[in-house]
Amino acid sequence: MPVRPHRTVDRVIGILEAVALSPRGLTLAELAATLDAAKSSVQELTNGLLARGYLIEDDRRFHLGPGPFILAARANKLAALSLDHQFLAELSKVLRCTVLVGVRVGDALVYADHAGQESPNLTFVARTHARRPLFTTAAGKALLASVPDEEMYRLLELAGAEQAGEARQFLAELPEIRSRRLAFNRGVTFKDAFAVATPLLASDGSPIAAISAAVDPAEADRLDDLGEELRKAVAVLGPRYGLNRA
């Protein structure tokens, strides 16, 4: 059966992500407005999430409960491999640019951490852990190109009509991405950011994340050379953090 979004699941995820992005927490009315849903429907979902420990309520405001963190501690491959901030800091120093680590979350790319020079757009996306379509970012392309074809095409089929052109562009770039193990974003997502990414592989060779190196437009002509530097740096530094050399 084809994998498709489900409205109830989407709403549950929407609640968790909205609450996670709000330091003060959100009221039921604010959640309903965010989800464009009836308060009664949202309340049923929040009650269930409260009962299972995925939300907590304080002064009528919802916050993340311990549930999501327990799941991450049990199953997150990045945590298990101790891919900590020091890895990014070392890469940033070697490459002399901003670096970001992105992970696949369903059909989206989420930046989990970054190091290096501040970039208003990129660092904002990294700090908020905002979802980006896989086929629009350098890191997302690197991850999408690393999955089996059946899974890759399933993910591409989830793209809306407004994203069809970007999906086709990804397919046009796919042979080069796979042959070079490098994916590029030349000022498409953000006009002031140019990035190149390569997948990060676990010891068994499976992709667990992607690392991006980003520069501003003044250094755009450096991007191809930067990609090769990135691959070499990951090959040298990666094994210290449990990553495959490939």
Side-chain angles (χ1 to χ4, degrees):
M1 179 181 294
V3 179
R4 297 293 181 189
H6 188 281
R7 187 175 71 167
T8 301
V9 174
D10 287 348
R11 283 186 175 178
V12 169
I13 293 172
I15 289 170
L16 295 173
E17 292 189 341
V19 168
L21 292 174
S22 177
R24 296 179 59 248
L26 294 173
T27 65
L28 181 64
E30 290 169 337
L31 277 174
T34 299
L35 299 175
D36 192 23
K39 286 175 64 175
S40 58
S41 298
V42 176
Q43 186 165 34
E44 288 185 11
L45 298 176
T46 56
N47 285 343
L49 290 167
L50 286 167
R52 301 297 292 182
Y54 281 72
L55 289 179
I56 57 175
E57 188 176 6
D58 181 30
D59 195 23
R60 297 189 178 184
R61 304 188 78 86
F62 296 102
H63 305 264
L64 278 187
F69 302 98
I70 296 300
L71 283 183
R74 287 176 178 171
N76 187 286
K77 291 184 178 180
L78 289 177
L81 288 167
S82 299
L83 186 60
D84 59 29
H85 184 77
Q86 184 60 31
F87 175 61
L88 299 186
E90 290 189 53
L91 279 176
S92 176
K93 184 176 180 180
V94 169
L95 300 174
R96 309 178 309 283
C97 67
T98 301
V99 296
L100 306 95
V101 62
V103 296
R104 177 187 162 193
V105 180
D107 63 349
L109 184 284
V110 175
Y111 290 111
D113 197 4
H114 69 282
Q117 299 176 348
E118 290 291 304
S119 168
N121 285 323
L122 288 176
T123 53
F124 174 78
V125 171
R127 287 195 181 99
T128 59
H129 308 297
R131 288 173 175 258
R132 314 290 300 181
L134 284 168
F135 49 82
T136 63
T137 66
K141 292 177 185 179
L143 287 173
L144 191 55
S146 300
V147 302
D149 282 355
E150 182 179 359
E151 176 74 354
M152 180 190 73
Y153 284 110
R154 180 189 70 77
L155 291 167
L156 289 174
E157 287 174 2
L158 297 176
E162 70 280 3
Q163 298 173 322
E166 293 169 309
R168 287 194 298 269
Q169 180 60 36
F170 165 76
L171 288 173
E173 297 171 8
L174 181 60
E176 181 179 8
I177 294 173
R178 285 181 167 171
S179 66
R180 298 183 64 187
R181 300 193 64 77
L182 293 174
F184 295 85
N185 186 343
R186 302 180 190 273
V188 175
T189 308
F190 299 115
K191 65 180 181 180
D192 60 345
F194 290 71
V196 57
T198 194
L200 298 179
L201 307 179
S203 57
D204 63 1
S206 61
I208 59 166
I211 196 84
S212 295
V215 295
D216 61 32
E219 296 184 281
D221 58 355
R222 177 190 169 202
L223 210 56
D224 279 284
D225 290 340
L226 181 61
E228 298 303 324
E229 293 176 32
L230 172 63
R231 285 199 308 148
K232 292 176 182 177
V234 168
V236 172
L237 298 175
R240 302 178 193 173
Y241 298 87
L243 300 171
N244 194 306
R245 287 182 177 274

